[in-house]
Amino acid sequence: MNRRKERFSAKQTRTSRKYLNRIRELGQMPENLEPFLSVLDDVFVKESLPGALQGKTLVGTYCVMVPQELVYAAGAVPVKLCSGNYVGFSIGDDLVPRDACPLVKAVAGFKEMGTMPIYQNCSIMAIPITCDCKKKLVEILEDQYKVYPMQVPALKEDADIRQYIEELYLFIQELEGVTHREVTWESLAESLELTGYAQRELSSFIKRKKRFPYLIRGTHALAVMNAASWLPQNILAEYLHNLNRELAEREKNGILAVPRKQPRILLTGSPLIFPNMKIPLLIEEMGGFLAADETCMGERGLSDPAVVVDESFDGMMRALANRAIRPCSCPTFADNKERIYRIKQMIRDYQIQGVIYHVLRGCLVYDFEYNMLEDELGKMGIPVIRMETDYNEEDIEQLRIRIEAFIELIKLRGED
């Protein structure tokens, strides 16, 4: 078993280092992206906790719908544990059903190998039940970790929000049992202020990301958002502030991320989780520009800070529930017209010329919506292509050919 772990660790390190190198080799990388890449290096290459997390009580989460403010209010730090690891996937492939999604397979592989400190150091894991695979993930993990399955509403009506608020109160009880620290009005208000500062820096980052001509590559922006999964909010705000300042200087000096005429592509669908960055890298290595992404590891996690109207404890809880549910465009919701509206809005905001719809094999909630999106984008005259893949490198050449052809199609349409 020890030799197997060593092979697992060595292969994971090689794969992660390779993708970090490819990210660095893309042109016009901002200097202040390096601290974010160092976080990814710590977690996936060195297999260690980033310095900012050492000595902290960690709470693992598996979805953007877990309000991180509650975790901070309980005296802990949230970390996202969703995995895009190819090596973990290969181990998990033998542990769970063939048609399970790659994310769940990768998490099962990490659990089997026990080589990732970011997992081993979590005092509790919160798993929102957004699909059947997430439901079974609870069963996979609960024999080794303390797990809290969080019920997520299927709709966004007032009654559903009230139900979710009750769920958040139950989550607070679980957190207090782990951290032995009571969530009070004062601690919750302080956590709202802490996360609000980071969210404001994130909003500034997205505003600069939208500027045309563009100041930062989409793959670099995705690296920022992935690294944010393992950074405390105060450190994240500091890193983002430095990056925003550099992007402002670039704008002032006319330094562009890519030439103006590169085809502008939006990536949506299943999440892109490091080191599974093959599609965004191929887009930009093949001469396209990843102008925007609508995924839960990207811009979907960048909603504005919770708006507190009623400053009572209950009022703050309502604000957190509303922020977590109402703007979320996850396809787990039964009525998802807002998701289509958001994608169409992003196409206009980013001057998008083509859409790549990424589907992780077995991820039915995302696959279900492709036909509806294809119809809507057809009305706008925007080409869209569906790309199904999982966590391996065997299909890279096939993906390369399809992405290159899609980019050429966009170029030809632009010449008409």
Side-chain angles (χ1 to χ4, degrees):
M1 185 64 175
N2 286 338
R3 184 167 292 181
R4 189 183 184 208
K5 282 187 178 182
E6 289 173 4
R7 289 199 302 268
F8 176 92
S9 179
K11 189 172 181 181
Q12 173 183 283
T13 294
R14 286 196 303 271
T15 303
S16 300
R17 183 182 291 117
K18 177 176 68 176
Y19 279 90
L20 279 174
N21 288 340
R22 287 176 66 185
I23 290 170
R24 287 186 172 103
E25 287 165 3
L26 287 173
Q28 296 295 343
M29 188 186 102
E31 289 182 10
N32 283 289
L33 186 71
E34 192 57 46
F36 295 97
L37 299 186
S38 293
V39 170
L40 298 176
D41 185 80
D42 284 341
V43 175
F44 291 99
V45 178
K46 297 175 182 172
E47 294 182 349
S48 64
L49 284 178
L53 295 181
Q54 292 179 13
K56 307 289 187 183
T57 300
L58 303 183
V59 173
T61 69
Y62 284 88
C63 181
V64 297
M65 284 186 274
V66 180
Q68 56 187 352
E69 290 85 353
L70 298 181
V71 178
Y72 283 108
V77 176
V79 291
K80 290 180 186 173
L81 299 180
C82 295
S83 176
N85 194 277
Y86 299 167
V87 188
F89 164 80
S90 66
I91 300 295
D93 202 28
D94 295 328
L95 304 174
V96 300
R98 180 193 64 186
D99 293 333
C101 82
L103 187 151
V104 170
K105 289 181 179 180
V107 172
F110 277 141
K111 183 229 179 181
E112 176 75 4
M113 289 294 99
T115 60
M116 291 287 284
I118 205 80
Y119 282 79
Q120 310 305 320
N121 283 268
C122 283
S123 300
I124 185 173
M125 296 179 179
I127 305 179
I129 308 303
T130 53
C131 67
D132 287 342
C133 279
K134 285 281 185 71
K135 188 183 298 181
K136 301 310 290 183
L137 185 59
V138 175
E139 183 179 342
I140 291 170
L141 294 174
E142 64 183 355
D143 67 330
Q144 188 169 326
Y145 305 103
K146 183 174 177 59
V147 177
Y148 179 70
M150 183 176 285
Q151 302 302 318
V152 177
L155 295 170
K156 302 180 181 181
E157 304 299 329
D158 290 345
D160 301 291
I161 298 297
R162 288 195 293 270
Q163 175 189 340
Y164 193 60
I165 293 171
E166 293 178 8
E167 187 69 26
L168 296 185
Y169 272 105
L170 293 174
F171 183 44
I172 285 177
Q173 293 177 19
E174 294 289 332
L175 289 171
E176 290 176 335
V178 167
T179 65
H180 308 294
R181 175 173 165 178
E182 183 182 1
V183 176
T184 64
W185 183 93
E186 289 81 6
S187 69
L188 187 54
E190 286 175 6
S191 72
L192 279 161
E193 183 177 352
L194 171 68
T195 57
Y197 177 46
Q199 286 286 346
R200 285 190 288 275
E201 289 292 345
L202 280 168
S203 295
S204 296
F205 176 64
I206 289 303
K207 285 178 183 176
R208 289 188 168 87
K209 187 171 174 285
K210 284 181 181 178
R211 302 281 170 81
F212 182 78
Y214 297 106
L215 302 172
I216 185 170
R217 288 180 177 272
T219 304
H220 290 156
L222 269 173
V224 168
M225 293 312 304
N226 271 262
S229 301
W230 302 291
L231 282 171
Q233 291 291 287
N234 60 324
I235 305 297
L236 174 61
E238 177 189 339
Y239 287 177
L240 281 168
H241 180 76
N242 294 335
L243 180 57
N244 285 333
R245 188 170 54 189
E246 181 178 353
L247 294 180
E249 270 308 301
R250 284 184 165 211
E251 184 175 24
K252 179 180 176 182
N253 296 324
I255 300 174
L256 306 183
V258 294
R260 292 171 184 264
K261 292 186 178 181
Q262 280 197 343
R264 299 181 295 278
I265 293 171
L266 181 145
L267 183 58
T268 186
S270 302
L272 280 301
I273 307 168
F274 188 85
N276 183 36
M277 304 289 280
K278 57 188 176 183
I279 288 182
L281 280 164
L282 286 172
I283 290 171
E284 301 205 295
E285 289 171 349
M286 291 294 100
F289 176 60
L290 180 56
D293 78 278
E294 197 289 318
T295 67
C296 57
M297 284 298 283
E299 291 193 35
R300 191 185 303 159
L302 302 180
S303 54
D304 292 332
V307 178
V308 179
V309 178
D310 174 0
E311 294 187 355
S312 67
F313 192 92
D314 284 342
M316 289 189 285
M317 292 293 286
R318 283 196 298 275
L320 290 175
N322 275 300
R323 200 276 309 278
I325 299 299
R326 294 202 192 272
C328 184
S329 55
C330 178
T332 189
F333 294 105
D335 183 354
N336 226 1
K337 297 183 183 69
E338 292 175 11
R339 173 172 166 76
I340 301 297
Y341 173 81
R342 171 160 172 73
I343 290 172
K344 291 164 75 172
Q345 182 184 42
M346 292 181 74
I347 287 171
R348 290 188 290 268
D349 288 347
Y350 287 92
Q351 303 180 46
I352 296 298
Q353 297 170 291
V355 174
I356 292 179
Y357 195 90
H358 169 237
V359 178
L360 285 175
R361 193 164 290 120
C363 190
L364 293 180
V365 290
Y366 280 99
D367 210 1
F368 227 97
E369 300 207 334
Y370 175 74
N371 288 338
M372 184 193 314
L373 181 64
E374 185 181 37
D375 289 343
E376 290 296 321
L377 297 188
K379 297 172 187 176
M380 298 176 68
I382 299 293
V384 56
I385 185 171
R386 174 185 177 276
M387 292 197 173
E388 182 177 350
T389 183
D390 55 25
Y391 292 169
N392 65 60
E393 297 183 289
E394 295 171 2
D395 60 354
I396 283 182
E397 288 310 311
Q398 179 190 6
L399 291 172
R400 187 191 307 276
I401 291 168
R402 297 187 69 206
I403 288 171
E404 187 174 23
F406 188 63
I407 289 170
E408 288 303 315
L409 170 66
I410 295 172
K411 289 179 179 178
L412 288 172
R413 289 167 64 98
E415 294 172 1
D416 292 343

